[in-house]
């Protein structure tokens, strides 16, 4: 995180410039001058171990706009606790000035205006610069990737993740764990894993038939005389949240006892001084796990895409949440002595793409990976007059656009779209290029089904997904957001138990109540069922955007949330 | 806890007698575990019942109305089932002579009663069971001293999707 002094300077500059010049180029450049690469990287070295964490990059090689959630509700004990704090509450909690670079990077407030001022974030060539700089200062740093790396773009889909593998290898990753990686199927995953120069860690990945560990649970690093055990924890709900038929050989799960066993093994047999868990559990699951498994010093958490500027302490465990889509790199310096973590210093480094100089070698590699697809990627399909974003517990404007496209192109009364947390943003006035559509839809099971569903089934589906998000016990949460809907409105009380959260289901156009016994035409995508038939979602959206030319979406009020 | 093949065989050889109730349990893993040492294990499927016994009836029959306390028994089950048709569970109760497993939300809640012989080195069972819906799994152990211990775990059976 940028220190108080730094952001104060940046804020003063920005605020003054707004008064003078609005959002013109001059103002933008001047605002960014207040931010420098040196300041972003400034870190008072500490201790004897440095961890570098990236996670949930979702195949974003180039800088992106990514609007952080406006709605990210916590239930039960998680209510009001990071990461379930958004907008101005978040700014106050972390003492961040509105309009500052941190405010832009970490919240949705004034997103469009601040995006104009501070520009895109991320880009793996910029990430490479940051990683190299940290390594130059601390040669014994360990770079760890929390997974959700190989999926999320046109090029990663076309190359079955190879573009990302090449780039992450060049970045010098030393260990990773997994989630969407598995959606390329077991054969492809194994093919890549065999080629990786680092371990593909997953203490909780078991052989489904024999119920035995199937992957390396951890790797022990010797750095600067310190023995560091890094445990991988893959996404626990792989076969439930994503299609089981793509990786039928494996079983996942939280496997708390297994985690404790592995921690004990590291401490007792391997004699490590520090235990790090590289996790794709999601923030709330990790929070609970940290309170129940003894002996983990650091959890590098991923999956739920939270960018939290300060470590969260659970007992003697520190949790680090490093955001998503390449927007942030976490640096964690640790003082490890006599087999104990004595102290830590941390910085969530925001990757302002206009401020951090791209690493030349990495920039060349990225362009080389994209070159074969360049014309397809950059073809302009349409234009948007509205901000397009997804992240948040309920429909974002990208989801509204996708649902509209599904209903129109597939002639359906109701559309369902998955509540995935990945997908970047477009600003008003931006072109919609083919690549942008893929960034919010790219997956190996993206067919758009169309079938009949009774009102009762529809409600059951929505209750089920809502419970996967709002169950008061994090171990029963899958970490996706609420299913996105088109054509219908509903109310949701997040505090109620399963079966009682959803009410007032109506057809939005007519205001007519959804009849449990009546059949409706429902179309959607990302079904986990094998053999789903239909056109690809990106083709459906592309066809719709092409016909419309310009997209204009008014904010919708189809979901009424209570119990907050 | 993991149960690998070698341990499973050792468990079978230790003399676990498994009674699987037809129509309500797969008892697949337990059967496999016992198979390599078939002469040491008794594997009996009860006759199909015309009317399923309730959870209360099962407990009453097993305990004879004795007090059942928590602790001293570990039930391991997934929080969310990856596949409701085959959910791996494990019960570990040191000092148990019998273990009853109930799927309290199934149409026929009785899953299995396992009786351990005196030579059984480990009082532990692992099997896979079928769950009709989200429900509590209950395991009750009859201990060598005649007391009863219980553990319960909620397993969610979900239609899934939308993880991101």
């Amino acid at each position: 995180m940028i220190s108080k002094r730094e952001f104060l300077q940046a804020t003063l500059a920005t605020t003054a410039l707004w008064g003078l010049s609005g959002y013109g180029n001059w103002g933008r450049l001047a605002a960014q001058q207040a931010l420098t690469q040196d300041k972003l990287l400034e870190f008072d070295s500490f201790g004897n171990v440095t961890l570098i964490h990236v996670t949930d990059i979702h195949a974003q090689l180039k800088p992106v706009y990514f609007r952080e959630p406006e709605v990210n509700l916590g239930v039960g004990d998680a209510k009001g606790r990071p990461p379930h704090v958004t907008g101005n509450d978040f700014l106050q909690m972390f003492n961040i000035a509105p309009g500052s670079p941190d405010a832009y990077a970490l919240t949705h407030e004034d997103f469009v205006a601040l995006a104009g001022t501070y520009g895109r974030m991320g880009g793996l060539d910029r990430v490479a610069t940051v990683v190299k700089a940290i390594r130059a200062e601390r040669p014994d740093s360990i770079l760890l990737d929390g997974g959700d790396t190989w999926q999320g773009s046109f090029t990663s889909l076309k190359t079955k993740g190879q573009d990302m593998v090449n780039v992450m290898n060049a970045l010098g990753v030393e260990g990773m764990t997994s989630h969407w990686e598995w959606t390329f199927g077991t054969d492809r995953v194994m093919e890549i894993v065999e080629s990786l120069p680092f371990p593909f860690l997953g203490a909780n990945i078991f052989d489904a038939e024999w119920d035995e560990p199937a992957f390396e649970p951890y790797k022990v690093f010797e750095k600067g005389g310190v023995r560091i055990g890094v445990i991988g924890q893959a996404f626990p709900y792989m076969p439930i949240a994503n299609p089981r038929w793509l990786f039928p050989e494996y079983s996942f799960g939280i496997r708390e006892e297994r985690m404790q066993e592995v921690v004990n093994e590291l401490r007792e047999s391997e004699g490590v001084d520090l235990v790090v868990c590289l996790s794709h559990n999601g923030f709330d699951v990790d929070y609970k796990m940290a309170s129940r498994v003894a002996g983990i010093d650091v959890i590098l958490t991923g999956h739920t895409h939270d960018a939290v500027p300060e470590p969260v302490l659970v007992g003697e465990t520190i949790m680090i949440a490093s955001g998503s889509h390449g927007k942030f790199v976490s640096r964690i310096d640790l003082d490890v002595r006599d087999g104990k973590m004595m102290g830590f210093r941390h910085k969530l480094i925001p990757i302002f793409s206009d401020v951090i100089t791209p690493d030349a070698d990495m920039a060349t590699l990225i362009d080389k990976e994209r070159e074969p697809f360049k014309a397809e990627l950059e073809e302009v399909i349409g234009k948007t007059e509205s901000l397009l974003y997804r992240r948040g517990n309920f429909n974002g404007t990208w989801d509204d656009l996708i649902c509209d496209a599904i209903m129109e192109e597939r002639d359906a009364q109701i559309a369902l779209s998955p509540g995935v947390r990945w997908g970047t943003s477009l600003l008003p006035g931006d072109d919609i290029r083919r690549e942008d559509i893929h960034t919010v839809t790219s997956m190996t099971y993206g067919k758009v089904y169309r079938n009949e569903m009774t009102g009762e089934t529809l409600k059951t589906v929505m209750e089920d997904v809502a419970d996967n998000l709002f169950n008061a016990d994090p171990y029963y949460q899958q970490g996706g957001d609420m299913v996105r809907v088109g054509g219908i409105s509903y109310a949701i009380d997040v505090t109620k138990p399963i079966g009682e959260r959803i009410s007032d289901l109506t057809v939005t156009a007519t205001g007519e109540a959804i009849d449990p016994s009546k059949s409706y035409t429902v179309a959607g995508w990302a079904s986990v069922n094998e053999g789903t038939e239909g056109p690809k979602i990106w083709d459906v959206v592309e066809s719709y955007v092409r016909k419309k030319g310009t997209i204009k979406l008014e904010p919708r009020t189809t979901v009424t949330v209570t119990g907050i | 806890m993991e149960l690998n093949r070698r341990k499973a065989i050792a468990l079978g050889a230790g003399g676990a007698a498994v009674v699987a109730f037809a129509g309500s349990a797969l008892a697949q893993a337990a059967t496999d575990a016992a198979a390599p040492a078939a002469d040491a294990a008794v594997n009996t499927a009860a006759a199909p019942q015309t009317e399923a016994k309730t959870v209360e009836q099962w407990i009453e029959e097993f305990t004879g109305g004795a007090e059942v306390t928590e602790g001293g028994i570990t039930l391991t089950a997934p929080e969310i089932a990856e596949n409701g048709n085959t959910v791996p569970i494990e019960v570990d109760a040191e000092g148990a002579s019998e273990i009853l497993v109930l799927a309290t939300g199934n149409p026929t809640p009785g899953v299995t009663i396992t009786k351990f012989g005196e030579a059984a080195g480990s009082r532990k069972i692992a099997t896979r069971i079928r769950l009709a819906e989200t429900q509590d799994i209950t395991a009750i152990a009859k201990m060598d001293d005649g007391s009863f211990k219980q553990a319960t775990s909620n397993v969610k059976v979900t239609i899934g999707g939308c993880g991101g």
Side-chain angles (χ1 to χ4, degrees):
Chain A
M1 186 191 177
I2 302 175
S3 74
K4 202 175 289 183
R5 189 172 46 83
E6 286 156 17
F7 87 66
L8 202 65
Q9 283 173 358
T11 313
L12 286 174
T14 315
T15 316
L17 290 165
W18 281 353
L20 289 172
S21 67
Y23 313 123
N25 277 335
W26 182 80
R28 174 172 173 161
L29 284 172
Q32 288 168 357
Q33 275 164 12
L35 282 168
T36 65
Q37 182 169 317
D38 286 347
K39 278 184 182 165
L40 289 175
L41 289 171
E42 194 173 67
F43 196 103
D44 195 4
S45 274
F46 176 80
N48 50 354
V49 172
T50 295
L51 306 174
I52 310 171
H53 182 224
V54 291
T55 191
D56 297 270
I57 292 171
H58 284 288
Q60 297 307 303
L61 295 168
K62 291 281 192 181
V64 297
Y65 293 115
F66 181 85
R67 179 186 186 264
E68 297 294 334
E70 181 172 354
V71 178
N72 187 16
L73 302 172
V75 288
D77 295 343
K79 190 176 177 178
R81 188 176 74 200
H84 301 290
V85 181
T86 57
N88 283 320
D89 293 338
F90 184 102
L91 297 180
Q92 279 172 20
M93 177 174 272
F94 294 102
N95 199 16
I96 296 168
S100 67
D102 277 358
Y104 165 63
L106 293 162
T107 72
H108 73 282
E109 300 285 351
D110 292 327
F111 184 78
V112 172
L114 295 179
T117 304
Y118 298 118
R120 293 172 185 265
M121 297 192 66
L124 290 180
D125 46 4
R126 276 78 166 178
V127 169
T129 299
V130 171
V131 168
K132 276 188 180 175
I134 299 171
R135 279 186 170 144
E137 195 187 329
R138 305 275 283 202
D140 282 338
S141 302
I142 305 173
L143 173 62
L144 298 166
D145 173 8
D148 274 1
T149 309
W150 305 346
Q151 169 276 341
S153 72
F154 183 93
T155 54
S156 74
L157 188 64
K158 291 282 179 189
T159 65
K160 299 188 171 68
Q162 194 62 46
D163 61 333
M164 291 307 296
V165 171
N166 295 345
V167 166
M168 298 309 279
N169 287 352
L171 193 64
V173 169
E174 294 168 83
M176 78 177 288
T177 191
S178 55
H179 171 191
W180 280 85
E181 282 69 19
W182 288 99
T183 61
F184 285 110
T186 298
D187 290 350
R188 178 59 179 152
V189 170
M190 296 315 289
E191 184 182 32
I192 295 177
V193 167
E194 280 162 26
S195 79
L196 290 177
F198 54 82
F200 188 80
L201 301 170
N204 61 333
I205 311 176
F206 275 49
D207 181 294
E209 192 174 354
W210 293 106
D211 203 24
E212 290 175 349
F215 284 82
E216 286 174 81
Y218 57 75
K219 175 169 165 104
V220 176
F221 294 86
E222 285 261 10
K223 299 273 185 175
V226 179
R227 281 176 70 78
I228 301 149
V230 176
I231 303 167
Q233 172 86 347
F235 176 53
Y237 296 121
M238 257 341 296
I240 304 154
N242 302 88
R244 185 168 70 215
W245 57 271
L246 286 167
F247 39 88
E249 300 86 352
Y250 298 106
S251 165
F252 297 72
I254 297 170
R255 299 181 188 267
E256 198 179 81
E257 307 80 10
R258 163 78 175 160
M259 179 59 67
Q260 186 65 67
E261 242 174 63
V262 171
V263 171
N264 295 348
E265 189 177 316
L266 279 170
R267 294 252 178 225
E268 290 154 20
S269 312
E270 298 280 355
V272 300
D273 305 296
L274 182 80
V275 175
V276 176
C277 179
L278 177 65
S279 171
H280 208 96
N281 271 341
F283 195 97
D284 293 342
V285 175
D286 274 325
Y287 192 95
K288 180 173 174 184
M289 191 179 81
S291 71
R292 294 165 61 92
V293 174
I296 302 174
D297 296 301
V298 181
I299 297 182
L300 303 173
T301 182
H303 178 51
T304 38
H305 293 192
D306 312 297
V308 184
E310 290 169 14
V312 172
L313 268 75
V314 185
E316 292 185 349
T317 305
I318 62 169
M319 287 180 59
I320 307 293
S322 307
S324 65
H325 297 83
K327 270 181 84 175
F328 301 93
V329 172
S330 283
R331 171 176 173 178
I332 309 104
D333 279 17
L334 303 164
D335 179 15
V336 182
R337 274 177 288 146
D338 309 324
K340 281 191 83 173
M341 182 173 81
M342 315 296 277
F344 59 87
R345 189 170 288 160
H346 157 262
K347 185 171 179 177
L348 181 68
I349 302 168
I351 310 297
F352 287 98
S353 67
D354 294 343
V355 177
I356 294 171
T357 310
D359 176 79
D361 293 344
M362 188 61 94
T364 305
L365 175 60
I366 289 170
D367 286 341
K368 189 180 137 234
E369 295 294 341
R370 290 168 55 87
E371 184 57 39
F373 311 102
K374 202 169 188 318
E376 283 175 278
L377 289 167
E378 293 177 358
E379 186 176 336
V380 175
I381 310 299
K383 198 178 172 69
T384 180
E385 280 183 18
S386 310
L387 168 69
L388 296 180
Y389 69 94
R390 171 176 286 148
R391 185 68 232 285
N393 287 159
F394 305 98
N395 281 44
T397 44
W398 257 127
D399 304 304
D400 289 335
L401 168 57
I402 289 168
C403 287
D404 290 353
I406 291 171
M407 287 188 290
E408 196 160 311
E409 297 287 316
R410 297 289 280 152
D411 188 26
Q413 293 170 285
I414 296 168
L416 299 178
S417 186
V420 295
R421 298 189 174 206
W422 45 266
T424 58
S425 310
L426 287 182
L427 302 183
D430 279 354
D431 285 335
I432 301 175
R433 301 163 309 151
R434 180 170 293 118
E435 174 169 28
D436 301 319
I437 293 171
H438 274 261
T439 299
V440 290
T441 55
S442 171
M443 60 160 64
T444 56
Y445 51 104
K447 288 186 178 169
V448 181
Y449 62 84
R450 180 180 187 279
N451 54 28
E452 298 280 313
M453 209 182 261
T454 62
E456 188 182 359
T457 305
L458 181 68
K459 180 167 185 297
T460 305
V461 169
M462 293 174 65
E463 288 283 359
D464 209 80
V465 180
D467 194 61
N468 288 335
L469 178 59
F470 296 119
N471 192 303
D473 183 343
Y475 277 12
Y476 293 86
Q477 297 170 4
Q478 284 176 25
D481 278 315
M482 185 61 188
V483 58
R484 284 30 181 158
V485 296
I488 54 173
S489 305
Y490 68 96
I492 178 167
D493 183 340
V494 299
T495 59
K496 289 281 200 310
I498 189 167
E500 296 172 25
R501 289 191 183 93
I502 309 288
S503 61
D504 299 335
L505 264 171
T506 52
V507 177
T508 307
T510 60
E512 182 193 335
I514 294 281
D515 182 344
S517 58
K518 202 176 144 187
S519 236
Y520 298 87
T521 322
V522 179
W525 60 291
S527 167
V528 296
N529 298 324
E530 190 169 7
T532 300
E533 292 296 333
K536 302 278 175 48
I537 183 63
W538 43 89
D539 292 333
V540 169
V541 175
E542 180 171 317
S543 166
Y544 176 81
V545 171
R546 222 180 263 287
K547 282 178 203 154
K548 293 280 167 190
T550 300
I551 299 298
K552 189 169 171 57
L553 285 165
E554 297 300 330
R556 293 181 186 169
T557 53
T558 49
V559 185
T560 308
V561 186
T562 56
I564 304 170
Chain B
M1 176 56 215
E2 76 209 58
L3 184 70
N4 63 27
R5 271 162 284 184
R6 201 170 334 104
K7 285 184 195 159
I9 289 166
L11 175 67
V18 175
V19 183
F21 301 99
S24 64
L26 293 176
Q28 188 65 47
T31 307
D32 285 349
D39 56 340
V42 183
N43 214 337
T44 317
Q49 290 140 12
T50 46
E51 201 171 325
K53 275 190 269 184
T54 65
V55 171
E56 291 72 25
Q57 285 169 332
W58 275 111
I59 296 175
E60 171 67 28
E61 226 165 78
F62 187 70
T63 63
E67 191 196 358
V68 182
T69 57
E70 302 282 332
I73 175 171
T74 307
L75 168 62
T76 307
E79 289 81 7
I80 307 181
E82 293 184 351
N83 178 356
N85 289 322
T86 168
V87 181
I89 62 156
E90 188 178 293
V91 187
D92 189 352
E94 198 54 46
S97 58
E98 289 181 38
I99 293 175
L100 166 72
V101 177
L102 300 171
T104 63
N106 274 2
T108 51
V111 175
T112 177
I113 293 178
T114 306
K115 299 185 179 185
F116 297 96
E118 278 176 23
S122 170
R123 310 298 167 97
K124 181 159 63 183
I125 58 164
T127 185
R128 297 184 193 204
I129 65 178
R130 182 175 184 174
L131 300 179
E133 58 187 21
T134 299
Q135 58 184 277
D136 283 342
I137 308 298
T138 295
I140 302 177
K142 180 179 183 181
M143 311 307 282
D144 286 335
D145 66 5
S147 67
F148 292 89
K149 310 279 189 191
Q150 167 180 305
T152 293
S153 187
N154 187 258
V155 178
K156 188 160 137 182
V157 179
T158 171
I159 48 180
C162 300

